[in-house]
Amino acid sequence: MTDLSTKYMGLALRNPLVASPSPLSHTLDGIRRLADGGVGAVVMFSLFEEQLRERAVRTSRLVDDPAESFPEALDYFPAMVEEDPGPRGYLDLLERAVATVDVPVIASLNGISPEAWADYARAMQEAGAAAIELNIYYLPADPEISGPDVEQRHVDVFQRVKAAVTVPVAVKLKPYFSSPGAIALRLDEAGADGLVLFNRFLYPDIDLDDLAVRPMVDLSSPADARISRTWIALLRGKVRASLAATTGVEVPGDLVRYLLAGADVVMTTSALLRHGPEYATELLDGLSSWMSYKGFETVDELRGMLSAPDISDRAAYERAGYVTAMRAANAGGYAPW
Ligand SMILES: Cc1cc2nc3c(=O)[nH]c(=O)nc-3n(C[C@H](O)[C@H](O)[C@H](O)COP(=O)(O)O)c2cc1C
């Protein structure tokens, strides 16, 4: 009999599979289906800063000088938690979800500016969120913005939120840093309870018929998991924060690979969108069967077995993977680089 129970940011979970933010959590029924499907926790879809900002600007224009600028408009956010149907709707759903399902419900905030977040995070905590996940979805489109500026912004957003709540706070990162390990360490030192690696950025595509730029939302494939898995393997044992893997879980083996690399929990969206929330049961049954087959009784026994070796060898670990892959590709007759 395998025991899948585990901990994530201090929260006791019945298993390490977590539903990551997606439209599946837009309704109470969707959240219930996710929990019934067997996941250990649900992270709700994100409350987006842009929605709030638009509403804030509209509100400020209604009640004040029409020329009022954006920074002042941000002051309206706290009041809007009480009055605005957008955040209010999110908080209502969160409250009902917490009362309905028997797994932790984590709330998600998606934003880039530190000013906006503290009040919403506090309101999410009051609505019963077991934890807060910050999705700092920030593409520095202005080429004048430097790498250190981007990193500082992440730390600032995190610190504002962390100071406002007592529940655990996780940061969902993108992989596009010069040194993803360095920003992970900075956030860890700043007190992050969890690091979620990595978000998928959705880049637009160009429609050749209409000569237009189109937003694209595509689902992941298992190959997308390799970058997250590599960084989880590299960070395992180097940070105090829990490590959550996100991206590219399609079959039970993908879940197992992430745990072997060192993930505390493994998140999934694409697989549940493709196959339905009930597919979580299949993923978990597959995990249990693999564990029984290999003789593991608990998730702790296998977690991190294949994480990266000691710090002195880590660059070699990365480089060895690259060099071996290139040699194999060349030997296999792929086009020369
Ligand atoms: C349709 C869709 C909506 C998403 N919405 C959110 C969101 O609101 N907040 C967020 O942090 N991530 C969001 N994500 C990202 C997922 O939570 C997840 O991190 C990402 O899809 C990678 O995991 P996957 O490979 O299992 O899909 C969304 C993804 C998809 C496909």
Side-chain angles (χ1 to χ4, degrees):
M1 186 65 186
T2 52
D3 175 9
L4 298 186
S5 64
T6 196
K7 286 219 158 162
Y8 176 49
M9 304 194 284
L11 304 170
L13 306 192
R14 61 189 177 187
N15 66 62
L17 184 65
V18 172
S20 40
S22 82
L24 292 168
S25 57
H26 278 183
T27 62
L28 185 60
D29 188 50
I31 296 170
R32 197 187 287 120
R33 280 181 66 195
L34 287 166
D36 291 348
V39 294
V42 175
V43 189
M44 273 177 66
F45 67 97
S46 303
L47 185 58
F48 277 79
E49 177 175 346
E50 281 73 10
Q51 293 168 322
L52 307 176
R53 191 188 300 166
E54 280 161 21
R55 287 169 200 276
V57 170
R58 275 206 304 276
T59 310
S60 73
R61 287 203 178 120
L62 283 175
V63 299
D64 255 345
D65 182 349
E68 181 137 38
S69 67
F70 166 63
E72 284 79 11
L74 288 172
D75 294 337
Y76 287 88
F77 278 0
M80 286 168 56
V81 174
E82 296 300 315
E83 296 159 12
D84 189 87
R88 194 62 259 169
Y90 189 98
L91 296 171
D92 281 348
L93 177 60
L94 171 60
E95 217 170 300
R96 283 184 294 138
V98 170
T100 305
V101 298
D102 57 357
V103 295
V105 181
I106 298 171
S108 169
L109 276 169
N110 182 321
I112 51 173
S113 57
E115 301 84 352
W117 294 113
D119 296 298
Y120 281 102
R122 206 177 292 117
M124 285 171 161
Q125 172 172 300
E126 277 163 22
I132 311 274
E133 183 175 290
L134 294 177
N135 175 8
I136 308 179
Y137 195 101
Y138 175 50
L139 181 72
D142 177 352
E144 301 277 324
I145 299 171
S146 72
D149 287 348
V150 175
E151 291 184 10
Q152 191 57 46
R153 192 183 280 252
H154 280 70
V155 176
D156 289 346
V157 170
F158 168 73
Q159 284 179 326
R160 294 273 182 129
V161 171
K162 182 68 183 163
V165 296
T166 53
V167 291
V169 180
V171 183
K172 187 171 185 175
L173 291 171
K174 59 188 177 175
Y176 312 117
F177 291 95
S178 300
S179 176
I183 182 70
L185 288 187
R186 270 192 81 184
L187 288 164
D188 187 52
E189 277 158 20
D193 299 283
L195 296 168
V196 185
L197 311 178
F198 288 111
N199 203 359
R200 297 179 73 224
F201 268 33
L202 303 174
Y203 290 101
D205 207 345
I206 288 178
D207 186 317
L208 293 181
D209 288 328
D210 297 347
L211 290 183
V213 177
R214 298 259 177 255
M216 292 294 294
V217 178
D218 47 9
L219 302 182
S220 65
S221 66
D224 296 321
R226 291 187 199 151
I227 184 167
S228 299
R229 205 155 54 230
T230 299
W231 282 101
I232 283 179
L234 287 164
L235 287 168
R236 179 81 204 165
K238 317 298 180 296
V239 289
R240 190 200 39 82
S242 294
L243 293 171
T246 179
T247 308
V249 172
E250 177 59 22
V251 294
D254 301 321
L255 172 52
V256 176
R257 286 185 185 92
Y258 266 134
L259 293 170
L260 287 169
D264 290 289
V265 293
V266 181
M267 301 187 166
T268 175
T269 282
S270 290
L272 302 183
L273 283 171
R274 275 197 192 101
H275 308 292
E278 299 71 24
Y279 184 64
T281 309
E282 240 174 272
L283 291 172
L284 290 162
D285 287 350
L287 170 63
S288 289
S289 305
W290 183 87
M291 284 171 62
S292 304
Y293 169 63
K294 287 288 184 187
F296 293 110
E297 285 176 7
T298 68
V299 177
D300 280 345
E301 286 170 15
L302 67 106
R303 181 180 286 116
M305 265 183 81
L306 298 179
S307 63
D310 186 61
I311 189 149
S312 52
D313 301 330
R314 270 187 283 153
Y317 169 88
E318 257 300 87
R319 180 100 195 125
Y322 175 76
V323 172
T324 312
M326 287 300 116
R327 283 201 182 127
N330 283 318
Y334 285 96
W337 278 270

